[in-house]
Amino acid sequence: MKASDLFVKALENEGVEYIFGIPGEENLDLLDSLKNSPIKLILTRHEQGAGFMAATYGRLTGKPGVCLSTLGPGATNFVTPAAYAQLGGMPMLMITGQKPIKESKQGQFQIVDIVNMMRPITKFTKQVVHGNTIAATVREAFRVAMEERPGAVHIELPEDIAAEESDEYVYQIAEVRRPDADGKAISRAVEKIEAAKMPLLLIGAGANRKRASVALTEFVDKTGIPFFNTQMGKGVIDERHEGYLGTAALSAADYLHCAVERADLIINVGHDVIEKPPFFMKKGQEVIHINFSDAQIDSVYYPQLDVVGDVATTIQHLTETISPQSHWDFDYFHRVRKEVVTRIATYSHDERFPVLPQSVVALMREELDTDSIVALDNGVYKIWFARNYPCYDNNTLLLDNALATMGAGLPSAMMAKMINPESKVVAVCGDGGFMMNSQELETAVRLGLDMVVVILNDSAYGMIKWKQEGMGFNNFGLDYKNPDFVKYAESYGAIGHRPGSYEEFRKVFNAATNSKGVHLIDLAVDYSLNHEILNVRLQQKHCIV
Ligand SMILES: Cc1ncc(C[n+]2csc(CCOP(=O)(O)OP(=O)(O)O)c2C)c(N)n1
């Protein structure tokens, strides 16, 4: 069998549905082999778009998303998506081409050592040097990508290897059961939780999965222990639950942190230090680390007990064994919850125009459904969404607080829509982040996706402006001019809107989320209160007593 045909068969064997990417001449054998495959090739307009879509496929399905590029410049464009998948714990396979390795007449033209370039940002990176190793290499790449902690893997398929003959063989997929946590570790966790006076549950990215959601909801319902989450742990338990204290959008000093500081035990389920810290551990505070792998120690995180194993199963065991204690005291936590709710409500219905980020968040929550998905790019609005947007289900607010890259908002929303065609999907981007991968509007239109892109337009890199002001620097070097986003959308065959008031935004948003096609809403945003609210007032606040 031709090696490239075998490569495609090996991908089919893994259940691959899509390959996202931009082929180069070095991928032409593989491209030809895809012609008769049920795997759909989705062309994008930049390798970043392909990589972010593949990573999001992995994030949402648990199975590696696959993307394809040529050698050299195509492969170097995968660097940011690789880091995004790797840090975000998203299984993804990148396939890149290469010049012939046995005999080539092109000197070193376009040749970069991609296998080594990928090493620090992947779990596995390998060149295929013989057609007969394809089946095993693909199987191993998929296994490693999915193994905890999931991440990025890379296979380089040189042109001459793709064209050679190889033995026809694919490996049967062996189901891997994740090990359960050690019984003694679970017992010690139960003892610590029962002995604590004010235990508090933290939910992080590693718990953002369906089974863990169910298990954690049962745990909280049985024990009554209140919870908060990291940005990437949003929605694991429905945030309308009375035990939800808030999301740690900032690492410290928010109203929520009054509760975190008072807790004598934090039960951390699924957070690891790759995500921005949701709190800084302080001396004397106990933390139990429950995750698929043990805790990576850091000056802000050094838990006293690790419970390592399948997260959902660990929580089920905890729930079965634990007895709610009469000495547990959650009164203070519930009072903090009330304060958080009141603070978030301030400005939520402020109808000024340009709009405040707080009121955009509130409006979108009111207009969207339980299963609607909001995918964020990276900008200062991410803090407002994490803090103020209650999620009702897991993975309904897709954001990246691990690599925290700009440019992933639109491609990740597109992928979310492809996987959830019945749900409303909205990408929220800053004008800066949107422009980093705006060319994927063409892909979205070509794929016939019904979705909405909201651009929060401040003609600046607002997040950095906010930091600049917070650090006492003068406003400098962060402003720019934008294209006319309405005309820009229309030139792609999308539908552009520019509301001129808060009420008009509501009408436009409602109509766009309930109609066909790709809609782009150019929304003028007012960030002038960010510094006062997020820096000054939080630093000056006193925790309720
Ligand atoms: C690829 C990349 N480049 C630079 C940064 C640093 N950075 C973080 S947020 C930000 C500004 C974002 O501006 P914009 O997208 O307009 O959103 P805003 O904060 O204005 O709402 C920058 C430059 C980054 N996170 N990722």
Side-chain angles (χ1 to χ4, degrees), residues 410 426-427 429 434 441 451-455 518-522:
L410 174 58
V426 181
C429 307
F434 172 73
L441 277 181
M451 58 185 289
V452 179
V453 182
V454 177
I455 300 178
V518 177
H519 292 259
L520 185 147
I521 304 176
D522 176 11

Side-chain angles (χ1 to χ4, degrees), residues 378-381 404-406 430-433 458 460-464 480 527:
N378 255 278
V380 68
Y381 52 86
T405 182
M406 293 163 76
D431 42 13
D458 64 338
Y461 293 119
M463 172 83 171
I464 313 302
Y480 47 69
Y527 282 151

Side-chain angles (χ1 to χ4, degrees), residues 466-486:
W466 168 61
K467 294 262 176 186
Q468 189 178 49
E469 193 175 357
M471 291 168 78
F473 291 117
N474 289 333
N475 181 12
F476 173 73
L478 294 164
D479 295 298
Y480 47 69
K481 291 209 168 21
N482 280 311
D484 180 332
F485 284 125
V486 172

